[in-house]
């Protein structure tokens, strides 16, 4: 499961797009273009353009005069919280922008709160990327609260933001009532308590398609809680739990879950602490489960590869015969 977001739509090449690459372009010229009455621009890609707070203010002032842009990419700029607040203020009642990328923009907790306030009023945005912005738990709670109100947002990407257990608990409560949005929480210092809370949302959701909690610290307790929640889930197809300190107990719980779950196609468990016992249980689960396409268990301390049933759906970093040869 990729940890990165794909923000340019499949038909982006067919639509009017101002994609200026990584060359610095004057904000004044951009503003002038998007303010034109006959502007047909739909994709405004300003990724990595050295835009700071003052540039964000200028763009924010122009956005209310534009009714064509549907995708605004401001990622990898130093907007700071003030610039993010200005952009969000302009989007409170915007009726055209459906995708907003503010990833890696140094917006911080205050910027996260500004996004949350905007989401309580905006009913047009479908996808928002906030990856790597040091939003932290307090602003995460504000974003979660916004999901109690907002029913149009489809995806919120929050990887690398220090959400923590308390933030995860807030999102878990929000997702029990919000039936439209998927929240991506990889690499967020979430432990077993946060995972147990999120399991409650997994148990009730009918719309969530993927569970992305890779690079956290949910451990065996968190894995067991999620496994129990996934037993009756019929919507989630991809589960990413790699790099989570999951051992044999968690792996066995996930294997048991595969005995009843018929929707999961991909289970990513590499770089955990799964030994031979857990890997064997996962392999045995595939003898009856025909829905799963792959279980990735590479980079785990598996001592006896031969104990794992032969199945091409068990994926290692290298082929199973090579691993056998390495052990001899």
């Amino acid at each position: 499961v990729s940890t990165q977001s794909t923000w340019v739509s499949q038909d982006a090449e067919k639509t009017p797009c101002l994609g200026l690459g990584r060359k610095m372009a004057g904000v004044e010229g951009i503003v002038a273009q998007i303010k034109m009455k006959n502007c047909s621009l739909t994709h405004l890609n300003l990724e990595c353009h050295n835009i700071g707070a003052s540039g964000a203010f200028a763009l924010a002032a122009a956005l209310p005069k534009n009714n064509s842009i549907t995708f605004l990419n401001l990622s990898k700029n130093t907007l700071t919280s003030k610039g993010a607040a200005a952009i969000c203020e302009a989007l409170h009642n915007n009726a055209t922008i459906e995708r907003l990328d503010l990833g890696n923009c140094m917006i911080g907790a205050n910027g996260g709160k500004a996004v949350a306030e905007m989401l309580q009023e905006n009913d047009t945005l479908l996808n928002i990327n906030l990856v790597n912005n040091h939003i932290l738990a307090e602003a995460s709670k504000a974003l979660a609260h916004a999901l109690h109100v907002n029913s149009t947002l489809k995806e919120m990407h929050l990887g690398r933001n220090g959400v923590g257990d308390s933030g995860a608990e807030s999102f878990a409560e929000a997702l029990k009532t919000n039936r439209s949005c998927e929240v991506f929480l990889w690499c967020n210092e979430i432990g077993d308590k946060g995972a147990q809370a999120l399991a409650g949302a997994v148990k009730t959701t009918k719309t969530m398609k993927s569970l992305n909690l890779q690079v956290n610290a949910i451990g065996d307790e968190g894995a067991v809680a999620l496994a129990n929640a996934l037993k009756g889930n019929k919507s989630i197809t991809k589960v990413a739990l790699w790099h989570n300190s999951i051992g044999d107990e968690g792996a066995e719980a996930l294997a048991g879950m595969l005995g009843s779950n018929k929707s999961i196609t991909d289970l990513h468990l590499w770089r955990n602490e799964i030994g031979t016992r857990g890997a064997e249980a996962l392999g045995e689960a595939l003898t009856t489960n025909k829905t799963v396409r792959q279980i990735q268990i590479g980079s785990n301390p598996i001592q006896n590869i031969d104990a794992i049933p032969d199945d091409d759906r068990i994926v290692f970093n290298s082929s199973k015969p090579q691993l056998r040869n390495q052990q001899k």
Side-chain angles (χ1 to χ4, degrees):
V1 175
S2 172
T3 61
Q4 303 301 319
S5 307
T6 301
W7 291 95
V8 180
S9 63
Q10 293 179 352
D11 62 343
E13 295 181 358
K14 302 177 183 179
T15 57
C17 174
L18 182 59
L20 302 174
R22 295 181 181 273
K23 296 179 181 179
M24 181 59 187
V27 173
E28 296 84 0
I30 298 167
V31 167
Q33 181 171 348
I34 65 177
K35 288 169 67 176
M36 293 173 60
K37 290 183 179 180
N38 61 346
C39 179
S40 61
L41 182 71
T42 59
H43 291 62
L44 182 56
N45 182 6
L46 298 176
E47 177 184 353
C48 199
H49 268 70
N50 295 326
I51 297 173
S54 59
F57 293 155
L59 286 170
L63 286 174
K65 300 178 182 180
N66 178 280
N67 59 7
S68 64
I69 295 172
T70 61
F71 170 48
L72 177 59
N73 184 356
L74 291 170
S75 63
K76 299 179 182 177
N77 286 293
T78 54
L79 301 186
T80 72
S81 61
K82 293 182 179 179
I87 295 294
C88 288
E89 182 66 28
L91 295 182
H92 272 240
N93 298 304
N94 183 282
T96 59
I97 294 176
E98 297 179 346
R99 290 170 178 253
L100 176 64
D101 195 338
L102 296 178
N104 297 279
C105 282
M106 300 176 65
I107 71 173
N110 287 335
K113 291 176 182 177
V115 173
E117 291 177 7
M118 177 269 291
L119 288 176
Q120 292 189 57
E121 294 188 23
N122 183 289
D123 59 2
T124 305
L125 270 180
L126 300 178
N127 296 6
I128 186 166
N129 180 22
L130 299 171
V131 166
N132 197 24
N133 269 306
H134 205 61
I135 287 173
L136 303 178
E138 185 179 354
S140 296
K141 293 177 182 179
L143 289 166
H145 176 72
L147 293 183
H148 285 285
V149 179
N150 187 301
S151 60
T152 55
L153 193 69
K154 301 301 181 185
E155 292 184 9
M156 179 185 289
H157 294 256
L158 281 170
R160 295 197 186 104
N161 268 302
V163 169
D165 281 340
S166 61
E169 289 170 348
S170 296
F171 278 113
E173 286 304 310
L175 293 174
K176 288 179 182 178
T177 55
N178 184 300
R179 303 298 184 186
S180 62
C181 188
E182 290 195 70
V183 180
F184 297 79
L185 293 170
W186 51 271
C187 197
N188 263 302
E189 303 171 19
I190 297 172
D192 60 315
K193 291 183 179 178
Q196 288 168 6
L198 289 168
V202 169
K203 193 172 184 179
T204 59
T205 184
K206 295 181 180 179
T207 56
M208 192 183 300
K209 297 178 181 178
S210 60
L211 180 62
N212 294 267
L213 289 175
Q214 61 267 38
V215 198
N216 281 293
I218 71 171
D220 280 332
E221 289 187 34
V224 170
L226 290 171
N228 288 334
L230 286 166
K231 285 181 179 179
N233 182 280
K234 297 180 180 180
S235 64
I236 294 174
T237 60
K238 295 183 179 181
V239 177
L241 298 177
W242 48 269
H243 207 315
N244 260 297
S245 301
I246 297 170
D248 285 336
E249 182 183 352
E252 287 177 326
L254 291 165
M257 172 271 296
L258 292 177
S260 55
N261 182 287
K262 302 302 179 185
S263 64
I264 292 175
T265 59
D266 298 83
L267 178 58
H268 298 252
L269 295 171
W270 59 278
R271 200 173 290 181
N272 276 293
E273 298 172 9
I274 300 169
T276 302
R277 194 182 84 212
E280 185 177 4
L282 288 166
E284 289 291 343
L286 292 183
T287 60
T288 56
N289 185 304
K290 304 304 179 184
T291 307
V292 172
R293 294 183 301 194
Q294 64 170 334
I295 300 178
Q296 292 190 0
I297 57 172
S299 298
N300 277 289
I302 302 168
Q303 298 299 315
N304 184 7
I305 298 295
D306 288 328
I308 305 172
D310 271 325
D311 195 309
D312 291 339
R313 294 176 292 168
I314 297 285
V315 180
F316 298 88
N317 288 358
S318 56
S319 69
K320 196 170 178 181
Q322 287 176 323
L323 290 171
R324 283 201 184 100
N325 292 334
Q326 290 171 10
Q327 289 184 340
K328 292 179 180 179

